[in-house]
């Protein structure tokens, strides 16, 4: 494992049998898994290059069991890694050798659908697409739609602040979650938000969304549901170069048009997706945009004409507008299946996630092309072009020499470039272990310490998901120290509490 995890505690490993027995008393029946072969299913997440067996796997049935497990682990200084469906692409759910893997997959019920208030209350194990299926009969849907929506759980979406092809217009998970119930490491059950639009005081709900399991374990989620638009049509636009496609994206947004979705694929991704899904993609172009406009029919027709005019002005060579909902769905099926499609042309691939200002798309795409030659590895680009959220897929073969190492270095350089042009390390996959050691590229030491102080406020012993996000952890006591110089503290006139 090239990504180093915290050194396991020998004291905890020696107490494993007693810990397993104690957890079985809390979660009886088949809720505790400790056999090595049975734990293999949980040894990794979507970042499959890294694997690690947990100390023990616990699958609680109730919120009270979750609280009791966390309270026990806190009292006995045992790390806990929360896990949903295990689709994290940043190693966010990677287990710890001396830690309890707390799996919420049994929390899979839709608890309430409130069409009057346009929201649904669900347990964290409900899949993203499952929410839409639950409300579709009344013409509603849940807007955030990551490509893994058929499998990823809403609890994991909250942990990573997931997005999807419709996040440009309708927002990420943070913009569509109204409330949560969560359990602290001490076993306290708390609620934030609810069916109302905003809660008073600090935005703790915003803090929890995207916190990657470091602050608490989510056990219930209230989400906003939307009514399906009257009309939705998509257009496939092909370009001779990726740079021209990037220029088209910037021009569409500059015109004030906010599509329901705007995705981009380069030639390797186009060919792989078309061969896999047969979506009708042009195979003689270097870059493809999928632009979806939604709303009243007259508005959609007008905006489609505007987008086509912009595309021609930026050098497109082909444009194909969907003529039915079925054809539009086929356009998107190719994009949604792009990741598994690329898996058919390469033994392994490393899926990156960085976000840049839209105007920097041509520069970053050119930079990735140069990096591909430098590292001797292919790259297929599939990303949310509208908000600049890149998902380069670095192609490699883990069984060949140092290709995994080169893929990691290639990915690190892509993320450094994202930060260099004014972007950020992640758009929706989270930091996890994948980007942990790159955090200093974006944050200075003071920034990191402030983030860790928030961690200390929720988890004073750093038991929740340790080894993720922060490259170097400080003990809470160290972060709270006050420097005294010649008998004076800094800013002595400020009141101290």
């Amino acid at each position: 494992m090239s990504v180093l995890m915290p050194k396991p505690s020998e004291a905890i490993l020696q107490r494993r049998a007693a810990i397993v027995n104690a957890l079985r008393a809390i979660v009886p029946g088949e809720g505790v898994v400790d056999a090595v072969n049975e734990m293999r299913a949980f040894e990794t997440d979507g970042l499959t290059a890294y694997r690690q067996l947990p100390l023990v796997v616990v699958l609680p049935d109730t919120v009270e069991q979750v609280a009791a497990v966390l309270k026990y682990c806190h009292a006995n200084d045992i790390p806990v890694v929360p896990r949903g469906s295990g689709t994290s692409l940043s190693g966010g759910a990677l287990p710890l050798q001396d830690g309890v893997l707390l799996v919420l997959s049994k929390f899979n019920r839709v608890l309430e659908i409130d069409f009057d208030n346009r929201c649904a209350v669900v347990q964290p194990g409900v899949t993203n697409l499952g929410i839409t299926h639950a409300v579709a009969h009344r013409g509603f849907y849940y807007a955030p739609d990551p490509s893994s929506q058929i499998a990823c759980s809403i609890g994991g979406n909250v942990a990573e602040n997931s997005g999807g092809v419709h996040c440009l217009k309708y927002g990420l998970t943070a913009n569509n979650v109204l409330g949560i119930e969560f359990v602290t490491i001490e076993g306290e059950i708390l609620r934030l938000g609810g069916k109302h639009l905003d809660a008073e005081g600090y935005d703790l709900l915003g803090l929890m969304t995207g916190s990657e399991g470091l602050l608490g374990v989510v056990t219930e989620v209230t989400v906003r549901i939307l009514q399906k638009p009257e009309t939705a049509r998509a257009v496939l636009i092909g370009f001779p170069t990726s740079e021209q496609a990037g220029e088209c994206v910037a021009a569409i947004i500059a015109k004030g048009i906010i599509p329901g979705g705007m995705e981009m694929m380069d030639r390797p991704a186009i060919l792989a997706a078309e061969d896999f899904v047969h979506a009708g993609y042009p195979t003689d172009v270097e870059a493809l945009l999928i632009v979806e406009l939604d709303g009243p029919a007259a508005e959609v027709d007008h905006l489609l004409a505007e987008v086509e005019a912009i595309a021609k002005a930026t050098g497109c060579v082909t444009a194909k507008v969907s003529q039915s909902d079925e054809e539009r769905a086929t356009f998107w099926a190719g994009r949604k299946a792009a990741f598994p499609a690329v898996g058919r042309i390469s033994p392994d691939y490393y899926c990156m996630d960085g976000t840049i200002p839209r105007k920097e798309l041509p520069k970053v795409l050119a930079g990735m092309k140069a990096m591909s030659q430098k590292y001797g590895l292919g790259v297929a680009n599939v990303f949310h072009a509208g908000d600049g959220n890149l998902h380069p897929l670095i192609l490699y073969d883990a069984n060949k020499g140092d290709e995994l190492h080169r893929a990691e270095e290639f990915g690190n350089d892509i993320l450094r470039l994202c930060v260099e042009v004014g972007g950020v390390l992640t758009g929706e996959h989270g930091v996890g272990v994948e980007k942990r050691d790159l955090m200093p590229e974006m944050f200075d030491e003071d920034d990191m310490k402030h983030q860790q102080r928030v961690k200390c406020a929720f988890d004073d012993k750093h038991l929740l998901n340790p080894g993720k996000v922060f490259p170097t952890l400080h003990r809470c006591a160290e972060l709270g120290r006050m420097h005294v110089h010649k008998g004076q503290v800094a800013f002595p006139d400020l009141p101290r509490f």
Side-chain angles (χ1 to χ4, degrees), residues 69-78 185-186 461 463:
V69 168
L70 291 173
K71 186 175 182 179
Y72 169 79
C73 290
H74 183 260
N76 291 275
D77 297 326
I78 303 167
I185 187 62
E186 293 93 348
K461 297 182 180 181
L463 295 175

Side-chain angles (χ1 to χ4, degrees), residues 439 443 447-455 469-470:
M439 287 286 276
F443 301 104
D447 292 331
M448 296 294 293
K449 286 182 177 179
H450 281 300
Q451 292 182 45
Q452 290 183 49
R453 286 186 177 98
V454 174
K455 166 74 168 169
V469 178
F470 300 117

Side-chain angles (χ1 to χ4, degrees), residues 450-487:
H450 281 300
Q451 292 182 45
Q452 290 183 49
R453 286 186 177 98
V454 174
K455 166 74 168 169
C456 290
F458 284 79
D459 178 17
D460 61 335
K461 297 182 180 181
H462 290 292
L463 295 175
L464 282 171
N465 221 5
K468 318 292 173 61
V469 178
F470 300 117
T472 304
L473 275 177
H474 296 77
R475 289 179 299 175
C476 294
E478 294 172 335
L479 289 169
R481 285 176 181 165
M482 189 179 298
H483 181 64
V484 179
H485 181 64
K486 293 185 178 180

Side-chain angles (χ1 to χ4, degrees), residues 287-370:
L288 178 69
L289 287 182
I290 309 175
V291 184
E292 180 172 289
L293 289 310
D294 60 15
E299 179 186 4
V300 169
D301 290 342
H302 170 73
L303 292 178
L304 276 172
E306 292 273 316
V307 167
E308 288 188 88
I310 293 170
K312 289 176 182 176
T314 50
C316 83
V317 292
T318 180
K320 180 181 180 181
V321 179
S322 64
Q323 299 302 314
S324 66
D325 279 344
E326 290 75 21
E327 187 174 27
R328 178 178 64 88
T330 302
F331 287 177
W332 285 117
R335 165 59 184 90
K336 293 278 188 178
F339 288 10
V342 169
R344 300 172 77 221
I345 64 172
S346 176
D348 302 284
Y349 67 80
Y350 191 16
C351 178
M352 303 305 299
D353 164 55
T355 302
I356 61 172
R358 283 180 291 263
K359 66 184 179 66
E360 300 292 349
L361 271 172
K363 177 179 179 179
V364 173
L365 290 170
M368 283 194 282
K369 189 178 295 184

